[in-house]
Amino acid sequence: MTACASQYDPYSHAAMSDPHELYRALRAEGAPHFLPKYNAWAFTLFDDVKAASLKEKCLDFSHGQTPGQLLLNEFIPHTFATMNGPAHKAWRGIIAGDFTPDAVAAQVPRYRALARELWEPLRKQGRMDAYRDLANRFFCINAGYKLGLPRDDSEHMRSLIDDMLHRNPNQVGGNSERNQSAGGALMAYLHEFVGRLRADPARAEGFTKAYLEAEIDGHRLTDEELVWYLFSLLVLGSETTPMVIAATFYHLGQNPAQKAAVLSDNGLLRRAFFEAARYRQPTNMLARRAREDFEVGGQAIRAGQNLLFIYASANRDAKRFSDPDQFNCLREDGDPNMTFGIGSHFCLGKFVAIEAGIAILEEVFRDITDFEVNYDRCENSYGEHLSGFVSVPLSFTLKA
Ligand code: HEM
């Protein structure tokens, strides 16, 4: 059966398992699509997502950034991601200096050393799960390191974060027992961590220290607010990039000519990573609310309406990308900008994701002559918000 735009509901089983056919139908309408049930506009064209992202004075981030927050009234953490204008700039600015291209370039030797450390025992085994054993592990350790968490604790957070984001088929929102108990355990851990540092602030490190000491317009973070900052940075810093790394292996494995090209010229890994991020956009969609009337793609948006920025669809728009439903790491029209969002709320971790992601891939590829993905055992996430592989087992052969 062909997907029909009028059937689109971000919480339908079809949309939460594999939305691309629905997105094609929505893009074919050629204009933003209104969802009365959610009082929401779905933006699916590249130009519409871009135009709406740049209408910043018409956007209100304080009602949340995830679809669950806007459409299901899920809890909204009060961090810079859910602030507007100068407050957003000031609170994001506390740590933004650590995320510039230059600051990230200075971290690359540490990324390489960590990637090497995790890869070394896997290398000896001749097989690994690209998501579980390598990429997810790397990004949890890295996110924890930047917060000054003990390393063993950061590793333990991996399973809690995965459990918190896991969705059962047809599950709407993060309300399962598994989600709630993992989220509760993560929050309890962070509350205890913050409590210990309040008692002994000299032990705080990294972003935790920065936010513990921050004061803007006379406001210092309460324990609750500080915990939400740590929670957000831990989750955002560890979930998406591993999916892109896993997708890079998955799709190169399906395309022998591209795989051979990348294996013989590791310089192509940068393009392969960007293409995996485009083709398998991990942040399927994010959301905001309109605070003023404005127009996008010929449609009148009204203040108070919800807005779904569907990056995964924008990144497959045929008006912007040739042959958009083909994975092609040799394409000339790649563009990482939409993948990481556009406007002042663009992904804070953009350059970390890119440079650490590529460092991990390079550490592996420089040691191998070939790899085979076990496609029968790959697993995909399910849901309306994040989308990507959470397991890509593979075997490989090493250079002599
Ligand atoms: C391939 C991996 C990643 C992708 C595709 C991605 C994508 C995105 C997108 C699309 C946004 C929303 C942009 C907007 O609202 O305009 C975002 C926001 C954000 N991302 Fe990422 N991200 C990735 C990795 C990371 C990493 C490694 C971090 C590390 C800390 C991170 C931290 C954040 C934060 C803090 C925000 C909120 C920014 C704000 O509202 O000011 N992301 N990301």
Side-chain angles (χ1 to χ4, degrees):
M1 194 178 71
T2 315
C4 161
S6 62
Q7 291 168 344
Y8 177 65
D9 178 330
Y11 291 101
S12 67
H13 175 66
M16 290 200 286
S17 47
D18 181 3
H20 283 291
E21 213 188 314
L22 283 160
Y23 291 164
R24 257 193 302 281
L26 288 164
R27 287 195 300 271
E29 282 192 345
H33 181 90
F34 190 63
L35 306 171
K37 179 175 173 187
Y38 301 105
N39 190 27
W41 289 94
F43 298 116
T44 54
L45 297 173
F46 188 98
D47 286 346
D48 288 352
V49 176
K50 184 172 177 183
S53 301
L54 294 174
K55 298 261 183 201
E56 294 217 13
K57 73 176 189 25
C58 305
L59 304 178
D60 187 348
F61 291 81
S62 68
H63 300 279
Q65 258 212 332
T66 68
Q69 290 160 353
L70 272 294
L71 308 186
L72 305 176
N73 293 316
E74 288 183 347
F75 180 80
I76 303 162
H78 190 56
T79 68
F80 60 76
T82 54
M83 291 178 187
N84 296 314
H88 166 254
K89 193 170 175 202
W91 286 99
R92 174 170 162 136
I94 299 287
I95 56 169
D98 246 74
F99 290 92
T100 62
D102 283 352
V104 169
Q107 297 283 315
V108 170
R110 185 177 61 78
Y111 300 153
R112 286 199 180 281
L114 178 56
R116 197 81 210 151
E117 179 200 324
L118 302 182
W119 162 240
E120 202 51 43
L122 303 170
R123 187 177 170 276
K124 291 184 186 135
Q125 287 174 16
R127 64 190 152 71
M128 66 170 172
D129 188 316
Y131 178 90
R132 291 184 185 160
D133 298 334
L134 183 65
N136 180 245
R137 220 178 139 206
F138 176 101
F139 277 92
C140 280
I141 294 170
N142 185 57
Y145 170 82
K146 298 302 289 181
L147 296 176
L149 296 184
R151 173 150 166 184
D152 285 351
D153 294 358
S154 312
E155 292 234 41
H156 176 58
M157 297 305 132
R158 287 196 305 145
S159 57
L160 292 181
I161 295 171
D162 280 349
D163 282 350
M164 202 178 66
L165 298 175
H166 177 270
R167 299 288 182 270
N168 296 311
N170 292 312
Q171 182 186 331
V172 173
N175 49 15
S176 72
E177 166 59 30
R178 180 171 172 182
N179 305 148
Q180 298 288 318
S181 96
L186 187 51
M187 290 301 283
Y189 170 82
L190 291 174
H191 269 288
E192 203 190 310
F193 180 65
V194 165
R196 283 203 304 272
L197 295 179
R198 287 282 192 213
D200 187 3
R203 286 176 57 204
E205 290 176 44
F207 300 154
T208 307
K209 179 174 162 64
Y211 279 115
L212 195 75
E213 293 173 354
E215 180 171 333
I216 291 176
D217 294 337
H219 181 68
R220 294 181 73 118
L221 297 181
T222 62
D223 283 7
E224 188 71 15
E225 287 171 325
L226 182 54
V227 164
W228 280 114
Y229 268 91
L230 307 192
F231 177 92
S232 300
L233 290 167
L234 201 54
V235 175
L236 289 165
S238 62
E239 271 311 292
T240 45
T241 325
M243 289 174 169
V244 176
I245 293 171
T248 309
F249 282 102
Y250 185 99
H251 291 294
L252 284 177
Q254 277 184 327
N255 291 274
Q258 293 181 48
K259 180 172 77 165
V262 175
L263 281 164
S264 67
D265 175 4
N266 291 180
L268 291 172
L269 280 167
R270 183 167 289 265
R271 288 167 72 176
F273 178 86
F274 286 154
E275 177 64 350
R278 179 197 74 82
Y279 188 70
R280 285 281 181 170
Q281 169 84 35
T283 37
N284 176 25
M285 70 173 86
L286 285 165
R288 299 101 178 69
R289 188 166 289 169
R291 67 168 153 184
E292 286 180 22
D293 295 354
F294 65 104
E295 190 246 290
V296 167
Q299 298 287 1
I301 314 295
R302 300 278 171 237
Q305 290 180 327
N306 295 317
L307 313 171
L308 303 179
F309 289 12
I310 308 183
Y311 301 103
S313 172
N315 263 341
R316 298 252 193 135
D317 184 345
K319 288 200 200 110
R320 176 62 188 76
F321 300 98
S322 59
D323 235 348
D325 290 320
Q326 292 304 313
F327 177 90
N328 176 10
C329 71
L330 305 175
R331 68 171 56 249
E332 296 296 338
D333 57 2
D335 176 359
N337 290 323
M338 179 59 76
T339 302
F340 292 98
I342 290 167
S344 64
H345 279 258
F346 83 92
C347 176
L348 180 67
K350 174 175 178 176
F351 301 109
V352 174
I354 295 171
E355 297 309 329
I358 291 165
I360 295 170
L361 289 167
E362 283 178 354
E363 289 302 319
V364 174
F365 273 71
R366 77 170 178 197
D367 280 353
I368 62 174
T369 54
D370 200 2
F371 68 91
E372 289 289 331
V373 172
N374 184 341
Y375 287 102
D376 293 338
R377 289 184 38 230
C378 292
E379 285 173 35
N380 230 317
S381 67
Y382 179 92
E384 87 295 4
H385 177 210
L386 293 181
S387 146
F389 295 106
V390 290
S391 179
V392 172
L394 52 92
S395 54
F396 47 81
T397 44
L398 293 172
K399 289 181 181 162

